[in-house]
Structure formats: structure tokens, C-alpha cells
Amino acid sequence: MGWRLLILFACGVTSVYAQGYPNRPVRLVVPLAPGGAGDIVARTVAAKLSEMWGQQIVIDNRGGANTIIGTEIVAKAKPDGYTWLLGVQGSLAINPAFYAGLPYDAINDFDPVTQLTNYGYVLVVPPSLPVKSVRELIVLGKSRPGQLTYGISGTGGSNHLGGELFRLMTGVKMIPVPYKGSAPALTALLSGEVTVMFDTLITSIPQLKAGRLRALGVTLSRRSSSLPDVPTIAESGVPGYRFEAWQSIVLPAGTGKDIINKIQADTVRVLALPDVRRKLIDEGANELVGSSPEQLASLIRSDIEKYRKLIRD
């Protein structure tokens, strides 16, 4: 009887612990520079959860090494529910397909919680570049092989692979220039350091509205409701082109299921709030998801395989 009582006691402790969770501030590590799409999504969701729980969720930006620095921090953190990772496609799907000897295991070192968003990129150029469409960019690029440069958030990052897929499908030779995040890369584009960028809709839309950038095409399978007048790249002379990305919440492996379920359920509630949906979709998120942990785990595994093929190609 003793061991049965011990199991019941342990279950009871876990349940009580989850009911009182969180009872102190939570740290949400964002493995990206401040100001980018991931940072915006993380801060929006964290602010609402903080209001709901009466506990602060502190954003800790740890950009660098193509999201590896921040991701490793969470992989090695105590699995007590008080350290979270904004798990992005780059850290959890592209890096495992791109790098050998990562300091973390995307499958075994994390417990998935929920997918937050699905979003696309927009191919943008400064108004000074003499092109107004994807077709014109292709013509210009082929007439100046190797002279077009595009800003990326890091080698092997999402917008890098979006650019490489474009290069493979068009034959345009563009040179990637890595920065420490999408926000610094966008700054470089605005200042003229680079000539092209595949940027997230969330961060490009304010620049497009201000006239500081020109949109040539979106990477989604259909036009974005945020930029209805901008064609998809597929309908602009590159049939079959599609590139989408996502953001999620994951925790260190070994976190209690009750805590995971509470975070997942409350995050789904936040994503359903009208003001959150309006803010993130107006700023460029293609879809707010709110998946189950199992669905997120399946997405991570399938995307690792998808990017292994793209990287080989």
C-alpha cells in the first residue's frame, strides 16, 4: 500500500502546484533581437498572460548565433515552468536540419506547449531600387549577377532559406548578408547597406505605410489580408513559390503536464481575444493558431524533415 499512497501523494502535489502556478515572475526567453516579429508576438502574448495571472512575464531577449544562444539557455533551464522559450521555426526546425553538433536537441530537450502563429514574409526593396515587381527584380538580378544583396537574421535562418528558395527557383544570384536578427537586417535595408530583404509582414508593414519600402510580393500561398494589393510571389512569375514560418511556446523537457496544460489553455484564451487577434493580424500574422502540445510536436518533426530537403537542394 505504501507505494500506492506515494504515487497518489505525488500526483496531489503536482496538481496543487499547478493550481498555484505561477506564484512568481516567469522568464520568457526570446532568442532574437528586440523589435522583430517574434519579439512583437512574445510581448503581446506575455502582456495579456501577465494581466490574467497577476504575475509578470519578463521578456529576455537573447539574440545571436542564429537563435542558438537563447535556445540553449532554455534547454538547460530547470523544468519548473518559470523559464519559457519563444520557439521559432529557425531554432526548432531549421537549425536541427542545418547544423551538426547543436548544443540542444529540438525534439528531446523541450516540451511543446502551443503554436502561436503562422506568418509569411514579404519581399521588400527600398524605393531607390528601380524595380516595381518580382518580374522586374528577376530581370535586374540576372543582368547584375552577384550584385544584389539581401539582409538575413542569421545564416540558415528563416528569411535566409526563403531567399535561397527564391534563388533556386529563379536563377537570380543574390548574396545573403547576415545580421544579429531581423530588426538589424531591416535597419540595414533602410540605410542602404543591402538591396533586398524577405522580411516578416509584422515589421515591414509600418515601413511600407510610411513609404520607406516597396513591397514586391508575399511568400504566402494566397494574398495577405494585411496587404491585399500585393501579389504573391507565386502569381508574380515564380509559380509554386511558398514560404511560411511560425512561432510557439516550448518549455524545458520534464516540466509537469499540469503546468504545460495550464499555459497552453490560457495562451489559447489570449490568442482568441479580439484585441490580440486584431493587433497581430493587422501587423502581419497570417494566422493565430493555439495548437495542442501534440500538434506542435508533430509540426516540429515534419518541418525538420522539410528543411533537411531544402538545405540539401
Side-chain angles (χ1 to χ4, degrees):
M1 292 294 293
W3 61 270
R4 291 177 181 169
L5 288 173
L6 183 60
I7 290 174
L8 289 172
F9 175 75
C11 291
V13 169
T14 301
S15 178
V16 169
Y17 180 53
Q19 288 172 11
Y21 173 88
N23 55 24
R24 55 187 170 89
V26 172
R27 176 192 188 194
L28 173 51
V29 176
V30 177
L32 305 160
D39 188 58
I40 291 171
V41 171
R43 290 178 186 276
T44 302
V45 172
K48 289 295 184 179
L49 285 173
S50 294
E51 291 176 14
M52 183 184 295
W53 290 346
Q55 288 288 349
Q56 187 177 12
I57 298 178
V58 180
I59 302 296
D60 185 2
N61 291 96
R62 294 297 185 101
N66 203 21
T67 73
I68 293 174
I69 292 173
T71 306
E72 182 185 7
I73 288 171
V74 179
K76 296 179 177 177
K78 185 177 179 182
D80 58 4
Y82 288 91
T83 303
W84 304 1
L85 174 70
L86 182 79
V88 296
Q89 189 180 35
S91 60
L92 298 181
I94 296 175
N95 284 352
F98 192 84
Y99 295 105
L102 276 177
Y104 63 85
D105 184 315
I107 302 296
N108 296 315
D109 286 348
F110 300 101
D111 284 336
V113 177
T114 187
Q115 181 185 352
L116 300 173
T117 65
N118 178 67
Y119 66 97
Y121 291 86
V122 57
L123 175 56
V124 288
V125 298
S128 58
L129 195 71
V131 297
K132 294 185 178 179
S133 69
V134 171
R135 287 185 177 88
E136 290 181 3
L137 178 67
I138 293 171
V139 171
L140 179 67
K142 289 184 175 179
S143 69
R144 303 179 186 176
Q147 293 185 33
L148 293 182
T149 57
Y150 68 103
I152 62 175
S153 58
T155 302
S158 294
N159 55 2
H160 183 196
L161 292 189
E164 288 301 291
L165 182 61
F166 183 83
R167 181 184 64 80
L168 285 170
M169 295 181 71
T170 62
V172 174
K173 185 178 181 182
M174 301 189 301
I175 307 301
V177 180
Y179 293 87
K180 290 185 177 181
S182 59
L186 181 60
T187 300
L189 178 68
L190 292 167
S191 68
E193 288 181 24
V194 293
T195 49
V196 178
M197 186 174 174
F198 287 82
D199 189 33
T200 55
L201 289 161
I202 290 176
T203 48
S204 270
I205 284 174
Q207 306 301 332
L208 295 169
K209 289 180 177 177
R212 289 190 284 268
L213 291 176
R214 177 184 297 137
L216 304 184
V218 295
T219 68
L220 300 164
S221 58
R222 61 182 185 274
R223 295 193 183 198
S224 168
S225 58
S226 304
L227 296 173
D229 296 329
V230 179
T232 67
I233 291 175
E235 67 180 296
S236 304
V238 193
Y241 183 94
R242 177 185 178 186
F243 193 85
E244 299 176 357
W246 44 264
Q247 295 141 346
S248 69
I249 293 174
V250 299
L251 307 179
T255 304
K257 293 294 183 183
D258 285 357
I259 292 175
I260 292 172
N261 291 338
K262 176 176 175 58
I263 297 170
Q264 189 271 346
D266 287 348
T267 302
V268 169
R269 291 190 188 99
V270 165
L271 293 174
L273 294 173
D275 57 335
V276 171
R277 296 189 64 82
R278 185 167 54 251
K279 173 179 173 59
L280 294 182
I281 289 177
D282 285 353
E283 292 192 1
N286 184 45
E287 180 184 9
L288 304 189
V289 181
S291 69
S292 69
E294 294 76 19
Q295 289 169 327
L296 176 56
S298 177
L299 174 66
I300 293 169
R301 290 178 186 275
S302 64
D303 267 14
I304 288 173
E305 294 307 313
K306 178 174 75 176
Y307 287 112
R308 278 181 180 150
K309 181 181 184 305
L310 174 58
I311 290 164
R312 280 197 303 267
D313 292 344

